[in-house]
Amino acid sequence: MDAIEPMPWTPDFESYPCDVALQRTEVANGYIRLFWEDGRSNKYDVFLLRENSPDDQTIHFQSREMLISPLDIPQDLQAVSADLDENGALQVVWSSGEQSRYHPGWLRAHAWFDDGENTPALPAVTECRHWQADTMSEPPSFCGSEVLEKDAQLLKWLEALSCFGIARLRGLPDQDGLLEQLVNRIGPVRESNFGRQYVLEVKDDPDSNAFTSEALLQHIDMPTRECPHGLQFLFCRTN
């Protein structure tokens, strides 16, 4: 008798009970639809699934962060097949040749159902501009000392941050404690398991790719944590 393959691990550190089982799957152009035993259904974009493939080539098993760049995924990616294995996990074969297995509890927890339930409400934003390198070669930049001292400049900086998702300060002195002084002008610092500030170093038992010798690719910090940062600030003191 063949041994049943264990349930796949998940691309974060949460635990996901399998309270509702997957019943069947359906492959469509650009997404996979899942049907659950309680009658609900939802669909997943193929790129969302491929980026979160729990395998050692895509996600670091210890840090649960990506090892590949989104540019490594073919733009014409499709799911060749999507089936349920003996454990009830989703097994996908990709047009690029890779295979992925997904924990049903993780899939259920990240489901946005077609009936509108469980769909997060987006906050009202007065102006949100999408940009790329050919439309904005440099991020909005401000004088750091003026933002520290003048409320009007602080407001302009925060408006740019809200609008573009990025805003840069120039001319700040190389001074201990300055970053926290600046951030406290906005609100209290929320600590993480890394503390109030983050220092890069290689560790034998990493819980982040930053603590490994792997290249740090384009990424979003701490999406695998229960409470990821709302705003994150990087202080480049020495290049």
Side-chain angles (χ1 to χ4, degrees), residues 21-97:
L22 275 170
Q23 194 171 54
R24 63 185 179 92
T25 67
E26 181 181 284
V27 175
N29 184 30
Y31 63 88
I32 296 173
R33 183 179 292 278
L34 303 181
F35 297 85
W36 303 87
E37 65 178 359
D38 62 356
R40 307 189 75 174
S41 70
N42 64 291
K43 60 184 182 180
Y44 294 86
D45 185 275
V46 296
F47 291 98
L48 172 69
L49 289 176
R50 179 64 189 89
E51 285 184 342
N52 286 280
S53 177
D55 62 79
D56 292 334
Q57 287 72 48
T58 304
I59 295 176
H60 196 287
F61 177 73
Q62 290 174 288
S63 70
R64 304 297 169 95
E65 296 173 1
M66 287 187 67
L67 293 172
I68 65 172
S69 165
L71 297 177
D72 295 330
I73 301 175
Q75 291 187 358
D76 58 353
L77 180 75
Q78 294 293 332
V80 176
S81 64
D83 303 294
L84 303 181
D85 67 11
E86 294 180 338
N87 271 353
L90 175 66
Q91 185 164 305
V92 181
V93 176
W94 301 108
S95 57
S96 52

